Amino acid sequence: MKIQTYLYVVGYSILYFLFSTIIYFISYNDGNQGLALPIFGGGDDGQFYYEQILKFINGEPYVYTSIHIWVLGAVLKVFNTENVMVLRLFNFAGSLLLIILALLILKKITTLKAFHISSSLLVVLLSFYPSLLLNSTLSIYRDVWIYFFFLWCSYLFMIIFIEKGRRSRLISALLLIVSMLLLGGYRRYALLSFLIGAGIYILLNVLSRKNVSLLKVGGILFVGLSVFYILFRNVKIPVIGLSFSDVLQYRQLGLDSGGSQMGISLDQPNVLLFYVNYLYSLISNFIGPLPWQVTGGSTLIIMVTEGTVFLVIAIYLLRKMKTFSKGEFFLLIQAIVWFLLISISNDNFGTGSRLRIVGWLPLIIIFAKQFGEGVYKKEKERLFSKE
């Protein structure tokens, strides 16, 4: 990396650290223990996490929601403190690991000569991705670690199944197992999404020696989803322990709650109506809220700061898809599977802006690669034309 990229990484680190620290002191002075600022309405999951963490380290009965409680409890035990700032610093470390891992993945799919341009663009995009910044710094949420382990699983998979490198595949395989266990501990359906995406990629390579294509991916997903909807709606899915019907009923519970709900019902009498509404949900979770879905200030902010940017990136990637390498297609498959899954369960724009980060991280990495290489080629052509 050139010095410019290092400076951008330093800027990213300072931004995330300052954001978290300022929020801590404002929250602490307001009597919220430094956990969060209730500026978006509703409760704070961080407060619930903190209460359960204290119960865990004190040997009291607690509510287990994810491995996050155990991990943060261990952090407090190691430092022999109950200070929330220690937990914030731990999550800040997760943000640093996330940007480093994103750059490592970018390096695998980008030409060396264009890497300095692509890497700088990637750091800037992740620095000013509003939902990523907020969910990584507002409180002691588990989200940043879900993002990290999802990307780490993808990175290790690329080493084992795509990259023909000199590293030991056995070590990478062991690390992948550990990473998947941790990802499942933080969020089970994130692990399910990764496993489905990895399985589709492997299946496509077994069935065809040619490069994987989006058409084949879409065909496999369409057939698989249709079969599940028609024949196996009530069968419990491994890893998450829920059936298709359970997920649809969970989504249905929030339809009439108002606020930033999408209001899209997927519990339909036939598969055709299901797909019509599902496509609408997919688009809404992917780049929403759409203009007619704006119901207030929060949804308007999400649309302006994220939805419009993501729409531009999506159009750009569609135009460049023919040039994707195997690594890029793998990242694309992971993103597609993630959006397909959250579009089944999620009907809320606020929750969607948080959940879709997992899917957008691989797409932003691909975009940085493609755009950076395009800029490098134009600069090279301009220099040659002057000569």
Side-chain angles (χ1 to χ4, degrees), residues 23 45 62 68 154 205 227 235 239 250 260 262 270 279 282 311 352:
I23 291 173
D45 290 342
Y62 64 96
H68 196 50
S154 300
N205 277 278
V227 170
V235 176
V239 180
Y250 170 78
S260 57
M262 300 175 190
N270 62 69
L279 179 60
L282 179 61
L311 178 60

Side-chain angles (χ1 to χ4, degrees), residues 319-338:
R319 292 177 176 177
K320 294 288 185 178
M321 198 170 297
K322 291 183 179 180
T323 65
F324 281 12
S325 64
K326 286 189 175 183
E328 289 170 271
F329 259 112
F330 169 69
L331 294 175
L332 177 64
I333 290 171
Q334 287 293 347
I336 290 174
V337 172
W338 178 257

Side-chain angles (χ1 to χ4, degrees), residues 120-165:
S120 298
L121 176 60
L122 176 61
V123 177
V124 170
L125 289 173
L126 296 187
S127 296
F128 299 101
Y129 182 172
S131 291
L132 177 62
L133 177 61
L134 290 174
N135 284 288
S136 300
T137 60
L138 264 182
S139 190
I140 54 172
Y141 304 142
R142 58 179 171 167
D143 298 68
V144 66
W145 295 104
I146 297 170
Y147 310 149
F148 170 74
F149 286 117
F150 191 88
L151 283 189
W152 195 26
C153 286
S154 300
Y155 175 73
L156 293 168
F157 182 91
M158 293 171 70
I159 291 177
I160 299 169
F161 295 98
I162 300 175
E163 181 189 55
K164 296 180 180 179

Side-chain angles (χ1 to χ4, degrees), residues 150-151 154 189-190 193-198 200-201 214 217 221 278 282 285-286 313-314 317 321 324 327-343 355-367:
F150 191 88
L151 283 189
S154 300
Y189 64 80
S193 177
F194 171 77
L195 291 173
I196 293 174
I200 290 173
Y201 182 86
L214 187 60
V217 175
L221 290 172
Y278 182 46
L282 179 61
N285 277 282
F286 183 53
I313 292 177
L317 292 179
M321 198 170 297
F324 281 12
E328 289 170 271
F329 259 112
F330 169 69
L331 294 175
L332 177 64
I333 290 171
Q334 287 293 347
I336 290 174
V337 172
W338 178 257
F339 284 117
L340 288 173
L341 287 180
I342 67 169
S343 298
L355 291 177
R356 70 182 178 191
I357 295 173
V358 175
W360 268 106
L361 285 173
L363 295 181
I364 290 173
I365 292 173
I366 299 172
F367 172 75

